[in-house]
Amino acid sequence: TGHSLGGGLAHIALLCALAQQNNGFQQCHPLPDVSVKDMKSHLQKGKVKFSCVAFASPMVFSSCCQKLSEEEKNLMREFKSLSTIYVYDQDPVPHLPGNIEFGIATFSELANKMLNYLYAVPVLAFLVPLAKRKVREKLCTLAKDNVDLFQHYRHESKVLYVDAKKRETNILANVNEIKFVKNVKERLECHSVFPQCFGTYMIKHQRDEVKCT
């Protein structure tokens, strides 16, 4: 498991583990004080099952490199059945880099908010509209120049979308189903919701343990 980039790494680790498992762990590295033979025996008996739950992770898999073999397709189907990603409301990170429109809209909005502070400086206020237009042009150019690379990225996991307004969680086929909502005051804060929830839980859990002792 993991959050943000940690979640992306967790997904990569799961894929590697499943590939090793399907290959009979022929290339596994032993742990300290554990022989390769004992490790293979332990893993092949089915005592260890792999799965992954990630939170707010970016897209780490791309289909642009090569076509998958039938064996690789089966591996990805197994991966999808064992992996999940949670996306909270308007968090932009899970949309990157594959959902290009969402990314452009997000970074344009954030840049505009920062540039709005220049209105407080009379000498620079007249430059704000021009600066906003230039920023969006740069973002569009960047996306256009890299569209062949970005558009192939996607989540290969089951996507669970947490809707903050409706207070419900829905299964989505793709994060592209999440519509960009303008002027969300705490867009970046959406990305830190899950760590805050876990932090609050752990603090409460530790307090309860102290009370028990």
Side-chain angles (χ1 to χ4, degrees):
T1 187
H3 172 258
S4 194
L5 285 177
L9 288 173
H11 277 141
I12 294 172
L14 173 63
L15 184 62
C16 292
L18 294 175
Q20 285 275 25
Q21 190 176 52
N22 291 345
N23 193 37
F25 296 98
Q26 296 300 316
Q27 298 177 340
C28 65
H29 298 283
L31 296 170
D33 302 322
V34 180
S35 68
V36 174
K37 182 179 178 180
D38 289 341
M39 180 178 285
K40 288 182 180 179
S41 175
H42 180 75
L43 293 171
Q44 289 171 345
K45 286 180 180 178
K47 294 180 181 178
V48 176
K49 294 183 179 180
F50 299 107
S51 63
C52 177
V53 178
F55 301 89
S57 61
M59 303 172 185
V60 293
F61 297 116
S62 171
S63 60
C64 69
C65 297
Q66 59 184 8
K67 291 185 178 180
L68 299 180
S69 65
E70 196 59 39
E71 183 181 359
E72 290 169 334
K73 289 179 181 178
N74 291 334
L75 177 63
M76 293 311 298
R77 280 192 284 268
E78 183 182 10
F79 172 87
K80 190 162 189 174
S81 69
L82 295 171
S83 62
T84 303
I85 173 177
Y86 279 85
V87 179
Y88 184 81
D89 209 46
Q90 287 288 298
D91 182 358
V93 174
H95 295 269
L96 303 174
N99 192 349
I100 298 173
E101 292 183 5
F102 199 102
I104 291 176
T106 297
F107 289 118
S108 294
E109 182 181 90
L110 293 174
N112 288 346
K113 286 183 178 180
M114 294 178 66
L115 289 169
N116 283 340
Y117 288 110
L118 294 179
Y119 279 122
V121 185
V123 180
L124 300 175
F126 76 97
L127 292 173
V128 174
L130 175 63
K132 287 182 177 181
R133 188 167 67 251
K134 289 295 183 181
V135 167
R136 182 162 185 84
E137 288 175 359
K138 286 289 185 181
L139 288 171
C140 290
T141 300
L142 175 65
K144 185 178 179 180
D145 291 344
N146 295 278
V147 66
D148 290 337
L149 174 63
F150 292 162
Q151 68 181 353
H152 294 286
Y153 277 88
R154 62 177 183 269
H155 288 294
E156 297 290 353
S157 312
K158 179 171 65 177
V159 178
L160 293 179
Y161 172 60
V162 181
D163 191 316
K165 285 188 176 181
K166 296 181 180 180
R167 295 191 175 184
E168 62 183 24
T169 302
N170 299 302
I171 300 176
L172 304 181
N174 195 296
V175 290
N176 289 11
E177 295 180 32
I178 303 172
K179 301 300 182 184
F180 180 84
V181 179
K182 294 181 179 180
N183 300 319
V184 174
K185 291 183 179 180
E186 299 177 346
R187 187 178 305 280
L188 292 182
E189 282 76 0
C190 288
H191 188 59
S192 59
V193 165
F194 292 122
Q196 288 176 356
C197 290
F198 297 139
T200 302
Y201 169 78
M202 290 304 297
I203 291 172
K204 183 180 183 302
H205 183 66
Q206 289 170 357
R207 286 174 179 170
D208 291 341
E209 283 187 339
V210 171
K211 289 178 181 177
C212 292
T213 55

